[in-house]
Amino acid sequence: MTIKEALDRIRRICKDKETSYTCYVLDKNRILEGMITVKTILMAKDEEMIDDLMDTQVIYTTTNEDKENVAKLLSKYDLFALPVVDNENRMVGIVTIDDAVDVIEDEATEDFEKMAAMLPSDRPYLESKVTTLFKNRIVWLIVLMISGIIVGEILGYYEAKIAAIPLLVTFVPMLNDTGGNCGNQSSTMVIRGLTTGDITTKDWLKVWWKEFRVSLLVSIVLASFNFIRIAFFTKAPEGVNVYMIAISVSGALFLTVILAKSVGGLLPILAKKLKLDPAVMAAPLITTLVDAAAIVIYFTFVSHLLF
Amino acid sequence: MTIKEALDRIRRICKDKETSYTCYVLDKNRILEGMITVKTILMAKDEEMIDDLMDTQVIYTTTNEDKENVAKLLSKYDLFALPVVDNENRMVGIVTIDDAVDVIEDEATEDFEKMAAMLPSDRPYLESKVTTLFKNRIVWLIVLMISGIIVGEILGYYEAKIAAIPLLVTFVPMLNDTGGNCGNQSSTMVIRGLTTGDITTKDWLKVWWKEFRVSLLVSIVLASFNFIRIAFFTKAPEGVNVYMIAISVSGALFLTVILAKSVGGLLPILAKKLKLDPAVMAAPLITTLVDAAAIVIYFTFVSHLLF
């Protein structure tokens, strides 16, 4: 086909279609052979042949590809449109980048919801019914409440020590909060990286090694801060060695931070590897795991140093 | 200008430019007068006039507009390109949708980081230096550790009661976790809504009313669950009325959930109103506020019912 024929055909066909300004060249069986932009056509001379000008290296997708992956492909190659072929390689349609924008936004919203322990919603917030919001939220709240109860039971296991030195329990919120925050930071970075494609499951060792070094630095700062605060500014009850409390708290904090960042970095990758959703798995599970571990570590120190 | 002249001009000018297939019609002073797509040009007859065919209602943006808003505009109107004018309304360039995709992705990543208590990063995770990750994370960890310490001090205020009935402290992790999760769910929905434009600061009353009703439903379920669990399945120490513990815990939970959802819904809107960043403000502040409130509410119940 010559350029002149092509232009005539474009004028005829495109009248009522959503245009992408990329023309796909098909053979008789609708198999994708190449692509050529309207720009190339406009730049060419009337008698040149499409065959000579078209690009045969076409990036395309298939009808059974996940829409998130299609959006990623469009975004990665800065494409305005992507042809879609069926199982027999016949072209059946195109996806344009404005569709991808919506998919990318919806996907981010979904991840936000999942990471805040909610089922993803179909509609914008203000249009959602109260009962729908309730249903989306209550499931994970119950699961997490039960895990909070379990953490409480673990704390209850050390009741006798708390009764003897109630001061000990005042360090638990800080230990739990810090552990949770550390784990959350790591898991958020990794989940987001897995979504945008910056991180793949093959990077697990790199991720862990990075998180381990970051956690060492964080641990040193936070543990020192607490050691100094407790050793020099906290009044221990009579007969209790304040330095032993300081060592217990800062030692537990040190180990908790390292554990939290390793778990936060690796659990989302493990979830992805097991074909589970990293955003759903990570946040809630990590907090419970780290909370429970922090309490056990802390009271292990306490048992050895103070009783 | 006729269509034929326009086509010749496009062929001449567009050779080496990134094309958007939308032509902007300017007057002699480069003031934007209208737009016409290459599609319209191709469909038209050679002798038709651009003036008659162009669209004079052009959506445009200015050089000093925030890139997030430009991306939102492109996405909202499903545009492939947007003309940019300077302060004197002279057209100075275009923004295309593939730029917007990157902005939308980066913006979501930034919000994820901020909501997980980190400073936003410039580079992908695997390319970030350990010291950079450390610096981005340590600031908020210290702030939140201090707020965890404050929550611990508040808990310490009730030391005498904890020493008398150590069982009381085992309900604190569940109360704090549930309060934090409830607040986090609400704030995440509202922050995301503010980002995507589904919610504006004017909607504060609608948001609060929605959150209030959701929180009532959530409260009833979670408080009942805990009342039954404690009243019928928990062994209280001798001389302690287990029903009073059940009322204290479930009463505190009931009020905490309602408070958490109100604060979680309104604080991001307040932050936005005060021109602060909702994503930065909300998550950390809400958890601390709700944790502290939960402990005070709980021990107020305890003081009245058990001592």
Side-chain angles (χ1 to χ4, degrees), chain B residues 76-97:
Chain B
K76 186 175 167 192
Y77 292 104
D78 281 340
L79 299 169
F80 281 70
L82 199 63
V84 183
V85 302
D86 67 9
N87 288 331
E88 279 81 42
N89 266 318
R90 285 182 303 236
M91 184 164 155
V92 290
I94 59 166
V95 190
T96 52
I97 186 131

Side-chain angles (χ1 to χ4, degrees), chain A residues 11 42 125 128 210-211, chain B residues 11 42 125 128 210-211:
Chain A
R11 285 186 168 151
L42 283 176
Y125 175 80
S128 300
K210 209 176 264 284
E211 287 303 318
Chain B
R11 285 187 166 150
L42 283 177
Y125 174 80
S128 300
K210 210 175 263 287
E211 287 305 319

Side-chain angles (χ1 to χ4, degrees), chain B residues 11-47:
Chain B
R11 285 187 166 150
R12 214 168 53 239
I13 294 179
C14 293
K15 205 154 202 166
D16 308 305
K17 291 203 179 152
E18 200 191 344
T19 35
S20 73
Y21 296 107
T22 309
C23 306
Y24 300 99
V25 183
L26 311 178
D27 73 4
K28 277 173 193 159
N29 300 318
R30 301 191 62 77
I31 308 282
L32 193 57
E33 290 204 320
M35 58 168 270
I36 185 161
T37 61
V38 170
K39 180 181 171 182
T40 310
I41 295 178
L42 283 177
M43 296 303 127
K45 298 197 188 74
D46 277 0
E47 60 281 4

Side-chain angles (χ1 to χ4, degrees), chain A residues 11 17 21 39 42 80 97 105 109 117 125 128 137 145 152 185 192 210-211 225-226 261, chain B residues 11 17 21 39 42 80 97 105 109 117 125 128 137 145 152 170 185 192 210-211 225-226 261:
Chain A
R11 285 186 168 151
K17 291 206 179 151
Y21 297 108
K39 181 181 169 181
L42 283 176
F80 281 70
I97 185 129
E105 286 220 304
T109 299
Y125 175 80
S128 300
R137 296 182 189 183
M145 188 179 70
Q185 288 182 334
R192 187 65 190 153
K210 209 176 264 284
E211 287 303 318
F225 181 101
N226 270 284
K261 290 219 166 283
Chain B
R11 285 187 166 150
K17 291 203 179 152
Y21 296 107
K39 180 181 171 182
L42 283 177
F80 281 70
I97 186 131
E105 287 222 303
T109 300
Y125 174 80
S128 300
R137 296 182 190 184
M145 189 179 69
T170 64
Q185 287 182 333
R192 186 65 189 154
K210 210 175 263 287
E211 287 305 319
F225 182 101
N226 269 284
K261 291 221 166 280

